[in-house]
Amino acid sequence: MIVADNGSSDDPTAAVAALNPGKYYWSKKLGHMEFFGASNFTDDPDGFAYNTTPEASQVSTQGKYLLQKINDSDAAWKIPMIHYATYSSSGAFGGGN
């Protein structure tokens, strides 16, 4: 569970939203770990969709933010996370036919 800096865990969605207000991407350091959250919503103007090329992802606003945060992190464990799976056998995400 992600806990906001004020210690509240009553509303996990609000706690994550407080990490980078108004954005779908964020980072949070917990001890020796730092988590990097990314959005691959197709309608996120700062982000990259699940079918975007790696090159396009790196030059998006969100991609630049994540690369900078990961490069600046001194955490022993750097853990990137993304909203949708990068692979699925489901037809909803490009497979299954």
Side-chain angles (χ1 to χ4, degrees):
M1 174 183 297
I2 301 292
V3 178
D5 290 335
N6 65 7
S8 171
S9 62
D10 294 338
D11 183 354
T13 302
V16 170
L19 297 174
N20 193 12
K23 305 296 180 187
Y24 291 115
Y25 45 94
W26 49 270
S27 65
K28 175 70 176 176
K29 190 169 183 182
L30 298 169
H32 297 289
M33 301 177 291
E34 188 160 0
F35 296 86
F36 304 90
S39 164
N40 54 349
F41 295 124
T42 56
D43 60 348
D44 183 354
D46 289 346
F48 43 86
Y50 59 86
N51 59 353
T52 302
T53 65
E55 294 80 14
S57 298
Q58 292 178 20
V59 298
S60 70
T61 301
Q62 181 178 182
K64 289 177 186 177
Y65 170 90
L66 291 170
L67 287 172
Q68 188 66 50
K69 287 288 192 177
I70 291 169
N71 286 332
D72 290 348
S73 175
D74 62 354
W77 292 89
K78 299 175 186 179
I79 304 167
M81 302 182 307
I82 198 157
H83 185 259
Y84 291 114
T86 55
Y87 172 80
S88 173
S89 60
S90 165
F93 291 100
N97 289 350

